Every structure is written in C-alpha cells, then in structure tokens.
Amino acid sequence: IAYYGWILVIDRKAPSKGNRRSSWICSWKLWAKIGQLFPVTFSVQSPDAFSSKQSYVFCVHPHGILSFGALCTFIPEHFGMRKELPEVDCRICTLKLAFRIPFLRELILRLGFVEVSKESLRNIASHSKHHARARSAMIVVGGAEESLFAYPGSTDLVLQKRKGFVKQALENGMELVPVYLFGETELYYSVQHPLLLKLQRKIQKILSFSTPIIFGKYLTLIPDFHPLHVVVGEPVKVPSMSDDRSFQDQVNAYHECYVAALKKLFEDNVDKYGTPREKKQGCIHL
C-alpha cells in the first residue's frame, strides 16, 4: 500500500520526465544477448542528417506483438541507436499502465522509458532549452490496435488516421523520423478472424491494450526467432506553408510528407532487408 501511495502520489510525475535512465543498467550484456538471439541489425540511412541540438520523434512501424526490434536497438548503451547516433539522447514511450506494475516500473524508468503522453513529449522537447544535448522520443505509432494485425508477412499499419503524434511534433518543434522493423511480424502467429478482430478492438478500447491470440515457437509464447533489421530513415522536414493556413492544415500536410517518407523507406529497403513474405507484399498498407 505504501509503495502504491508513493508511485501514485509522491512520484507520479517521474514517468513523464525521463530523468532516471541509467547508463549502467542499459550497458548490461543481457540486452545484447537478447538481440543476438534473433539476431538484430541496425541501419541509419543518413547519419549526418541528425543534430544533437534538434529533438526528434522516432516513429516505429510495425508494432508487431512486443516490438522486439525497437527494444533491442533503442535500449542498449553500446548497440543500435546510441552507437550509430551518439548525438541523439532518446526516450522510449510506452503505455501508462506499465508504470503501475510494481518493480517493473523501476526497471523501465532506468531503461529510459517514459509514458506516452503530451506531457512527456513537452518535457522531452523542453529539455533542449536548458541543455546542450537535446532529447528525443521513440513511439510505436500503431500502438495496441496495430498489434492485432501482426501476423507473418503483414505490412498492415494503423497510420492513416493517426495524426496526434504529428500534432505534438509540430507543437514542440520536433522532427519526425520514420523507422521500419523488417521481420517484426514474423516472430509470432496470431489467430485472424473478422468476428474475433471486432471483439478484440472493443476490448482494446476499454482496456487501452490489445489481446491478440498468439503462439510462437513450439506453440508457446517464445518468439520464433528470426532476423530483424531496424532501418532508420532521414528526418522529415516540416513543409513550408503560407501563414494563412490553419494549424490543422499544417498537421495534414506534415502527415502526408511523413507517410510518403515512410513508404519510400520501406520500398528502398525491402529488397535488402525484407523477409520473403514482406517482399511479396511489396508495399505497406495503411
């Protein structure tokens, strides 16, 4: 009871600040060992396009079941994001519910997680005003709903109507960066049926997390380890517009630019990094 009182009252703002990341914990060999099980590779299309003074929102697709590719490359201190883009100080956004689970909360805070909220993005963006090195955020845009479409070979994304992340990026002066996880949907098989999907969507709206029916290796919850390739695109610049256009017009225009950049990132890299089933799809579906 005392612990819950502390996390719900005294320490309730910690998940939105992102100040408790521990380089020591993120340096544990455990994270590298997990990545080697798949294995995971990490590629940045244009490293010189990033600046330590600019805040970014790294938008990850697809969600898959647990976004292993993103976790294995955005958490470690000496692999992935922090090795290839050392000038970028990134925080990983996740559901608020995760910060209500005892002890898991303390671990993910020290792994650099923050709750996915407007307040978190404001705090991340404002950090650059008082420090020489700006902070950035990583968001799996499709969220819980997209995990319901995670089956081998799927390139179905929940993105067409998702514009909240674009709005927050514009309001906070952050640039969007497309990130694609090739092979992420190959790790689990999920039961797909129209009636089941309808029920799962209703549950997801009530609980804020999804309930896909999945099985992995040997019909267990162990993922069917498969090579994962995380590809980071170039930052998408905010399109120039006349002053008489509304803010919503700016959001729509930036969203269109982002979607175009994401499609190009997929199409430019699917032949090199895509699985046979992803290559057969040939494009992403929104």
Side-chain angles (χ1 to χ4, degrees):
I1 295 177
Y3 177 75
Y4 268 106
W6 180 67
I7 66 175
L8 295 176
V9 181
I10 300 174
D11 201 42
R12 67 184 185 280
K13 292 188 176 182
S16 66
K17 293 183 177 180
N19 292 330
R20 293 189 183 170
R21 183 182 185 277
S22 167
S23 296
W24 176 67
I25 293 179
C26 292
S27 297
W28 288 356
K29 292 183 179 180
L30 170 65
W31 317 123
K33 294 294 184 182
I34 293 174
Q36 291 169 5
L37 292 173
F38 296 94
V40 181
T41 66
F42 186 84
S43 173
V44 182
Q45 300 292 282
S46 301
D48 295 338
F50 294 87
S51 169
S52 61
K53 296 182 180 180
Q54 173 64 47
S55 289
Y56 304 97
V57 179
F58 290 85
C59 307
V60 174
H61 314 268
H63 185 287
I65 298 300
L66 291 172
S67 301
F68 279 107
L71 298 178
C72 290
T73 53
F74 279 79
I75 288 177
E77 186 72 20
H78 304 297
F79 176 74
M81 172 62 69
R82 291 185 176 266
K83 180 180 179 181
E84 302 299 327
L85 292 174
E87 65 273 25
V88 176
D89 183 17
C90 196
R91 295 296 182 269
I92 305 169
C93 296
T94 191
L95 292 174
K96 292 183 179 180
L97 180 64
F99 296 96
R100 299 292 185 266
I101 302 175
F103 307 113
L104 173 65
R105 173 188 190 269
E106 310 310 322
L107 174 62
I108 62 177
L109 280 173
R110 283 154 183 79
L111 290 176
F113 281 75
V114 296
E115 63 183 26
V116 58
S117 66
K118 295 178 182 179
E119 185 179 1
S120 293
L121 290 179
R122 282 197 299 268
N123 290 336
I124 288 171
S126 65
H127 182 270
S128 61
K129 298 178 182 179
H130 310 288
H131 301 80
R133 186 187 184 195
R135 275 185 184 166
S136 297
M138 184 277 274
I139 298 177
V140 185
V141 176
E145 183 179 356
E146 193 171 271
S147 68
L148 297 175
F149 302 98
Y151 56 89
S154 171
T155 57
D156 296 336
L157 304 182
V158 177
L159 178 59
Q160 196 63 49
K161 296 182 179 180
R162 292 273 170 116
K163 297 184 179 180
F165 72 103
V166 179
K167 179 180 178 181
Q168 291 304 311
L170 285 173
E171 288 182 345
N172 292 294
M174 306 172 81
E175 293 183 356
L176 301 176
V177 181
V179 181
Y180 201 87
L181 312 180
F182 288 97
E184 185 69 39
T185 57
E186 298 285 336
L187 304 180
Y188 289 98
Y189 290 88
S190 63
V191 179
Q192 299 287 314
H193 190 280
L195 293 179
L196 176 62
L197 179 60
K198 188 175 181 180
L199 175 62
Q200 289 171 324
R201 279 180 159 174
K202 288 184 178 180
I203 294 175
Q204 184 257 318
K205 288 181 179 179
I206 296 173
L207 301 179
S208 78
F209 61 88
S210 61
T211 55
I213 300 176
I214 62 170
F215 57 92
K217 201 169 187 177
Y218 309 124
L219 300 180
T220 67
L221 295 181
I222 299 173
D224 187 8
F225 295 110
H226 185 283
L228 301 176
H229 304 284
V230 182
V231 184
V232 179
E234 296 183 21
V236 181
K237 303 298 181 184
V238 179
S240 58
M241 300 181 68
S242 58
D243 295 336
D244 60 342
R245 300 291 293 275
S246 68
F247 181 67
Q248 188 58 48
D249 287 337
Q250 296 180 48
V251 171
N252 293 337
Y254 198 22
H255 184 269
E256 289 180 8
C257 290
Y258 175 76
V259 171
L262 176 62
K263 288 181 176 179
K264 185 177 186 301
L265 178 68
F266 178 89
E267 292 165 3
D268 288 350
N269 292 277
V270 67
D271 288 339
K272 183 177 181 180
Y273 298 113
T275 66
R277 280 181 279 220
E278 287 171 334
K279 292 177 182 178
K280 186 177 181 180
Q281 292 287 347
C283 63
I284 56 177
H285 302 93
L286 308 181

